[in-house]
């Protein structure tokens, strides 16, 4: 249901286009989809894009969403996974996600684990990744499918008033949003190296997505992005 709602809502808010590498037309069972995180609306953008590719993943998301009436019950019923950051239960999410991967489900996780601290609507390369996605991939042997999304910040970004204004006006503005899905990659065995490899793969996918929108950040050199 979450994927279906996203597929209905996102086209109202903006113009979504999707591309993929040749080896990513069909995502493998039991893969870990790692995406960049830029806006409160981009989970919907990502789910709508993946549904176009025939994928309705299990999602790791902040546990606070489960406290929202009705929505929280829907998340629980569909098997999505709450992440209790900074608590003794934080590791539970990886354990549950590992079980889902072993059962052949596709699992969606955000590499940065948080939104960027920015007020403008422009794009920037993915920030530093947490180690969770790498540890999950290494524990299960799951391939990582890098996903780059760009343009969601044009729908809504910044502080609360700007977030609300962006969301309410986007059906009129209909900003362009693009998602690019990269080919599956298998990460190296060291967690640090694996985290760096996942970040590089997602950054490459983001660069394609942002480039499709003509975002200046996508044209920056890798050295400039790392600075």
């Amino acid at each position: 249901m979450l994927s279906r709602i996203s597929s209905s809502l996102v086209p109202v808010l903006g113009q979504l286009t999707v591309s993929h590498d040749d080896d990513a037309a069909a995502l493998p069972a039991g893969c870990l989809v790692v995406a960049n995180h830029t806006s409160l609306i981009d989970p919907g953008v990502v789910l709508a894009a993946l549904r176009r590719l025939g994928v309705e993943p299990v999602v790791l998301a902040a546990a606070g969403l489960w406290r929202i009436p009705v929505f929280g019950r829907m998340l629980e019923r569909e098997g999505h996974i709450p992440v209790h950051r900074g608590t003794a239960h934080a590791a539970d999410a990886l354990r549950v996600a590992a079980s889902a991967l072993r059962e052949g489900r596709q699992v969606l996780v955000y590499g940065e684990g948080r939104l960027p601290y920015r007020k403008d609507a422009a794009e920037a390369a993915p920030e530093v990744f947490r180690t969770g996605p790498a540890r999950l991939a290494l524990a299960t042997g799951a391939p990582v499918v890098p996903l780059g999304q760009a343009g969601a910040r044009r729908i809504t970004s910044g502080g609360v008033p700007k977030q609300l204004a962006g969301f309410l006006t986007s059906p009129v503005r209909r900003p362009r949003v693009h998602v690019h899905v990269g080919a599956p990659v298998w990460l190296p065995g060291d967690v640090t190296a694996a985290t760096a490899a996942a970040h590089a793969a997602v950054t490459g996918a983001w660069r394609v997505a942002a480039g499709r929108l003509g975002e200046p950040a996508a044209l920056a050199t890798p050295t400039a992005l790392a600075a």
Side-chain angles (χ1 to χ4, degrees):
M1 183 179 294
L2 196 60
S3 292
R4 291 196 299 273
I5 291 173
S6 298
S7 294
S8 299
L9 177 63
V10 171
V12 175
L13 299 174
Q15 305 173 64
L16 172 64
T17 51
V18 182
S19 61
H20 56 77
D21 288 351
D22 292 341
D23 294 337
L27 273 63
C31 69
L32 183 64
V33 182
V34 183
N36 64 307
H37 201 9
T38 63
S39 167
L40 289 174
I41 198 65
D42 71 51
V45 170
V46 171
L47 288 176
L50 288 175
R51 193 162 191 258
R52 292 188 184 182
L53 299 178
V55 174
E56 296 185 354
V58 172
V59 181
L60 276 79
L65 296 175
W66 271 253
R67 294 194 292 270
I68 300 174
V70 181
F71 185 67
R73 290 198 296 273
M74 182 177 68
L75 292 172
E76 182 176 0
R77 183 177 65 247
E78 295 187 359
H80 300 295
I81 304 169
V83 181
H84 299 270
R85 295 191 182 95
T87 73
H89 299 289
D92 292 347
L94 295 183
R95 176 181 54 79
V96 176
S99 295
L101 287 168
R102 293 187 180 107
E103 292 169 0
R105 297 294 304 273
Q106 290 110 342
V107 175
L108 170 65
V109 62
Y110 282 94
E112 297 109 317
R114 65 173 180 84
L115 291 170
Y117 297 113
R118 297 175 56 221
K119 295 182 179 180
D120 66 324
E123 287 291 320
E127 296 183 349
V128 175
F129 275 14
R130 297 175 183 267
T131 61
R135 289 187 285 122
L136 182 56
L138 295 179
T140 60
V144 165
V145 174
L147 184 150
Q149 60 81 25
R153 293 181 63 79
R154 298 177 178 182
I155 295 177
T156 181
S157 60
V160 174
K162 188 178 177 183
Q163 294 270 5
L164 291 173
F167 187 82
L168 292 174
T169 61
S170 61
V172 178
R173 295 184 290 110
R174 294 191 49 75
R176 294 173 60 213
V177 185
H178 192 85
V179 170
H180 182 77
V181 180
V185 297
W186 279 261
L187 302 182
D190 175 75
V191 171
T192 300
T195 300
H199 182 271
V202 174
T203 299
W206 163 82
R207 188 187 291 275
V208 174
R212 293 290 184 95
L213 301 181
E215 283 281 348
L219 303 177
T221 64
T223 300
L225 290 173

